[in-house]
């Protein structure tokens, strides 16, 4: 059964916010804890609790670092360069509150912490409250201690990959986590103008960031999410200081991820960073669409708390949704208003093809000529395009000027996916120009179902109007059964078609 997840990022998104929202949505905490116990990284524990954020009950996910672990040495004085009345490692400016306040979600750990906060507690109290203020967003950490010369560990992609390989988790969860790290690596490489293999993560390679990313992957996998819809990322403004100097918000890593992956960004008047690099990478890795159904039902809602207090709710809402059945296929295959001929009306009834909004559809076709890429590169690009949501990708052999043999790359995709597809093509190929055209197409009514055959469950697509439907078994679903059982593909295919005849 398909599960669609809608992430509402009006207050931004971070790693820990995402984990909290998914746990609140119903991800199995015990499964997550078992995976985290197997991570070959020491010096942390997790805390899951309920907090109040802007008067709303929310789930809080906190990674508590051991005292000797230096998760991040970028305290707020370093980050923002303002004068402090004291030197607590992650204190914020000009916002007094105590730890007894109802909202313990003012974490002090990320490179774009709000400028206008100041915590009134002693260094000793800070050390005792690490559990409540362990980290903010999963990208960067500011553990509450005051040992300026502790060592922190830099990890590159090789070390990250080894950690993932040694962690006891499903292949699906491991794949999600790896994709998130790869997106972060590409963004860091772009920001610092170095090859990906030379990127050494400081923030991303830190303990709590690893925990956040793995936790997101495990929770998504545990929930069985098949589609993730993220229409827009709302970001704040201002500046922040990091290891490399004072940077604008959004920080370069976020802007590169947004650009490379075609995410939609909206800048809000909030002073501070709402979207962290890890948050942006999570969306880039798992988003399948940026367009919500026109109408939908909400099955369940999860709310994840941020660790800061901004001029916004400071929560991430995650919703399991499913499109509302419009019950309009009858209109699509029936007799429309007007004075069309009886023959046309009969043909439309038989085929289910009309010009109604139910069947009319628009798609974009992207094209580019490439004459200087290897076959390996082109094959890789095709895989990446499909992963990014392309409806179809194909190559056509052509001859360009001066009789140069080349390939015409054609991509069919949704309008909202065009920026991401173009960014991917420019990043992965030698193309310097892409043609695009908006095309109208006519489609048959279709729906996905699952049928049982003697060897297991098969996903099928049912297309066409009632009384003239055709069944098309999904290749991967059928191929998996064939690999496991040894049955021929043709035989399994026919079994699935026959089983579909019993569907209502």
């Amino acid at each position: 059964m398909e599960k669609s997840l809608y992430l509402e990022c009006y207050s931004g998104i971070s790693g820990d916010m995402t984990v909290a929202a998914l746990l609140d949505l119903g991800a199995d905490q015990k499964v997550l804890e078992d995976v985290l116990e197997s991570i070959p990284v020491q010096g942390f524990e997790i805390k899951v609790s309920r907090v109040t954020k802007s008067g709303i009950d929310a789930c809080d996910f906190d990674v508590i670092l051991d005292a000797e672990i230096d998760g991040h040495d970028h305290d707020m004085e370093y980050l923002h360069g303002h004068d402090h009345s004291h030197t607590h490692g992650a204190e914020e400016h000009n916002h007094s509150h105590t730890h007894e306040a109802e909202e313990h979600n003012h974490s002090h750990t990320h490179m774009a912490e709000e400028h206008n906060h100041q915590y009134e507690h002693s260094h000793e109290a800070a050390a005792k409250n690490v559990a409540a203020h362990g980290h903010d967003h999963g990208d960067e950490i500011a553990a509450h201690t005051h040992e300026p010369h502790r060592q922190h560990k830099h990890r590159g992609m090789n070390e990250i990959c080894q950690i993932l390989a040694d962690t006891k988790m499903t292949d699906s969860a491991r794949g999600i986590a790896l994709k998130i790290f790869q997106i972060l690596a590409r963004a860091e490489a772009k920001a610092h103008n170095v090859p990906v293999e030379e990127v050494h993560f400081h923030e991303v390679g830190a303990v709590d960031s690893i925990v956040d990313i793995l936790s997101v992957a495990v929770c998504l996998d545990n929930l069985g999410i098949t589609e993730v819809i993220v229409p827009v990322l709302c970001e704040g403004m201002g500046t922040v200081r990091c290891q490399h100097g004072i940077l604008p918000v959004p920080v370069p890593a976020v802007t590169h991820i947004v650009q490379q992956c075609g995410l939609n960004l909206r800048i809000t008047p909030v002073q501070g960073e709402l979207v962290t690099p890890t948050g942006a990478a999570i969306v880039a890795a798992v988003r399948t669409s940026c367009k919500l159904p026109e109408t939908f039902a909400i099955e369940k809602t999860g709310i994840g708390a941020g660790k800061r207090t901004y001029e916004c709710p400071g929560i991430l809402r995650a919703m399991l949704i499913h499109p509302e059945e419009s019950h309009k296929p009858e209109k699509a295959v029936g007799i429309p208003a007007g004075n069309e001929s009886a023959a046309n009306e009969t043909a439309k009834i038989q085929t289910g093809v009309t010009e109604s909004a139910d069947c009319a559809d628009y798609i974009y076709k992207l094209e580019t000529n490439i004459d200087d890429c290897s076959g390996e590169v082109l094959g890789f690009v095709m895989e990446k395009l499909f992963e990014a949501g392309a409806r179809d990708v194909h190559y056509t052999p052509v001859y360009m000027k001066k009789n140069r043999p080349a390939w015409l790359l054609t991509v069919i995709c949704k309008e909202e996916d065009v920026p991401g597809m173009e960014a991917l093509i420019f990043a992965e190929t030698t193309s310097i120009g892409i043609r695009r055209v908006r095309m109208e197409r006519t489609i048959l009514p279709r729906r996905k179902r699952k049928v049982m055959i003697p060897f297991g469950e098969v996903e099928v697509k049912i297309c066409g109007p009632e009384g003239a439907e055709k069944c098309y078994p999904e290749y991967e679903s059928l191929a998996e059964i064939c690999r496991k059982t040894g049955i021929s593909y043709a035989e399994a295919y026919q079994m699935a078609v026959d089983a579909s005849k019993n569907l209502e």
Side-chain angles (χ1 to χ4, degrees):
M1 179 179 179
E2 292 191 347
K3 281 191 176 183
S4 296
L5 173 67
Y6 165 42
L7 293 178
E8 184 187 76
C9 304
Y10 293 148
S11 293
I13 185 171
S14 65
D16 59 332
M17 291 170 73
T18 309
V19 180
L22 295 176
L23 287 171
D24 201 32
L25 201 58
D28 193 323
Q29 184 176 335
K30 180 63 167 60
V31 171
L32 175 59
E33 290 171 349
D34 290 343
V35 171
L36 296 182
E37 287 180 1
S38 72
I39 296 179
V41 174
Q42 303 300 318
F44 76 93
E45 60 180 282
I46 65 168
K47 178 183 178 182
V48 179
S49 60
R50 307 301 303 182
V51 298
T52 302
K53 191 73 173 173
S54 296
I56 300 173
D57 177 65
C59 179
D60 180 70
F61 178 79
D62 201 7
V63 180
I64 305 169
L65 302 175
D66 288 356
E68 66 273 13
I69 300 296
D70 180 16
H72 198 302
D73 56 359
H74 297 178
D75 62 24
M76 291 307 298
E77 182 175 2
Y78 178 89
L79 292 175
H80 297 290
H82 300 309
D83 291 335
H84 285 249
S85 59
H86 53 72
T87 59
H88 180 15
E91 293 160 15
E92 304 185 6
H93 309 265
N94 304 324
H95 174 72
S96 300
H97 73 75
T98 66
H99 280 293
E100 288 75 17
E102 66 168 7
E103 300 181 8
H104 80 245
N105 36 26
H106 311 88
S107 174
H108 324 297
T109 68
H110 189 51
M111 61 185 294
E113 198 70 80
E114 178 69 340
H115 292 232
N116 299 317
H117 300 278
Q118 179 173 347
Y119 290 86
E120 296 180 349
H121 54 75
S122 67
H123 295 182
E124 292 77 11
K128 294 178 181 178
N129 282 284
V130 169
H133 298 275
H135 81 304
D136 182 16
H137 287 353
D139 322 293
E140 295 157 326
I141 302 104
H144 281 172
T145 98
H146 304 277
E147 299 174 21
H149 301 295
R150 291 176 302 163
Q151 296 298 313
H152 49 71
K153 185 172 183 179
H154 294 253
R155 295 180 175 91
M157 274 304 296
N158 288 338
E159 290 84 356
I160 295 295
C161 289
Q162 190 58 53
I163 289 173
L164 295 179
D166 293 341
T167 300
K168 295 179 181 178
M169 59 198 305
T170 66
D171 289 339
S172 176
R174 185 177 291 107
I176 295 171
L178 179 59
K179 189 173 182 180
I180 296 171
F181 277 116
Q182 289 173 334
I183 290 171
L184 282 169
R186 288 197 296 269
E188 292 290 344
K190 177 72 173 177
H192 302 301
N193 194 28
V194 297
V196 171
E197 57 271 15
E198 293 182 14
V199 171
H200 278 77
F201 300 113
H202 176 56
E203 293 85 2
V204 176
V207 173
D208 62 346
S209 297
I210 293 172
V211 173
D212 282 346
I213 292 172
L214 265 66
S215 297
V216 168
V218 170
C219 289
L220 285 170
D221 179 60
N222 180 254
L223 288 169
I225 301 300
T226 57
E227 181 181 18
V228 180
I229 303 169
V230 187
V232 66
L233 301 180
C234 291
E235 174 65 294
M237 59 174 58
T239 60
V240 64
R241 181 184 295 170
C242 77
Q243 190 176 13
H244 306 284
I246 296 176
L247 302 177
V249 174
V251 296
V254 169
T255 58
H256 290 315
I257 292 170
V258 168
Q259 175 187 347
Q260 292 171 359
C261 301
L263 305 183
N264 298 322
L265 189 67
R266 178 185 301 158
I267 301 299
T268 70
V270 175
Q271 290 294 318
E273 183 184 43
L274 304 182
V275 178
T276 71
T278 293
I282 290 169
V283 172
V286 304
R287 188 193 68 160
T288 58
S289 175
C290 66
K291 186 175 182 181
L292 280 167
E294 290 186 6
T295 59
F296 58 88
I298 301 175
E299 298 178 15
K300 194 172 183 181
T301 301
I303 298 179
K307 304 293 193 299
R308 313 165 182 171
T309 298
Y310 289 142
E311 295 178 358
C312 61
I315 59 173
L316 173 68
R317 286 205 297 187
M319 307 178 201
L320 285 180
I321 66 172
H322 62 80
E324 282 287 279
E325 295 293 337
S326 61
H327 300 295
K328 294 182 181 178
E330 291 78 13
K331 177 182 176 183
V333 300
I335 301 177
N339 55 2
E340 296 180 64
S341 68
N344 286 342
E345 292 173 1
T346 301
K348 290 181 179 183
I349 292 173
Q350 291 174 343
T351 63
V353 176
T354 76
E355 295 179 359
S356 73
D358 299 291
C359 290
D361 189 44
Y362 292 92
I363 207 77
Y364 268 75
K365 180 170 74 170
L366 311 180
E367 289 185 346
T368 183
N369 293 0
I370 302 173
D371 66 353
D372 53 354
C373 269
S374 68
E376 292 88 348
V377 170
L378 296 178
F380 177 76
V381 170
M382 177 179 282
E383 292 179 6
K384 297 292 291 182
L385 288 167
F386 276 122
E387 290 175 1
R391 293 297 185 88
D392 196 12
V393 181
H394 62 266
Y395 292 102
T396 305
V398 296
Y399 282 91
M400 295 172 56
K401 60 185 178 182
K402 299 182 180 180
N403 291 325
R404 293 175 181 171
W407 296 98
L408 171 64
L409 167 60
T410 303
V411 179
I412 307 297
C413 66
K414 295 180 181 179
E415 181 176 4
E416 59 264 27
D417 292 330
V418 168
M421 298 294 170
E422 291 184 341
L424 196 156
I425 292 171
F426 282 132
E428 298 289 350
T429 75
T430 55
S431 172
I432 59 174
I434 300 171
R435 303 177 294 276
R436 64 174 176 269
V437 60
R438 185 173 186 259
M439 307 178 73
E440 184 176 357
R441 64 176 185 170
T442 304
I443 60 174
L444 291 172
R446 63 187 70 182
R447 66 184 191 275
K448 289 186 177 182
R449 292 290 186 272
K450 290 187 177 181
V451 299
M452 287 298 300
I453 66 174
F455 300 95
E457 193 174 53
V458 179
E459 294 181 3
V460 299
K461 186 183 298 180
I462 308 297
C463 302
E466 186 176 353
E469 294 175 326
K470 296 181 181 179
C471 170
Y472 300 96
E474 295 287 359
Y475 171 78
E476 289 296 342
S477 177
L478 204 62
E480 183 178 358
I481 288 179
C482 294
R483 295 187 190 102
K484 290 180 178 179
T485 64
I487 186 175
S488 72
Y489 186 88
E491 186 177 357
Y493 188 99
Q494 189 58 50
M495 286 181 180
V497 172
D498 291 341
S500 71
K501 297 176 181 178
N502 299 322
L503 291 174
E504 295 183 356

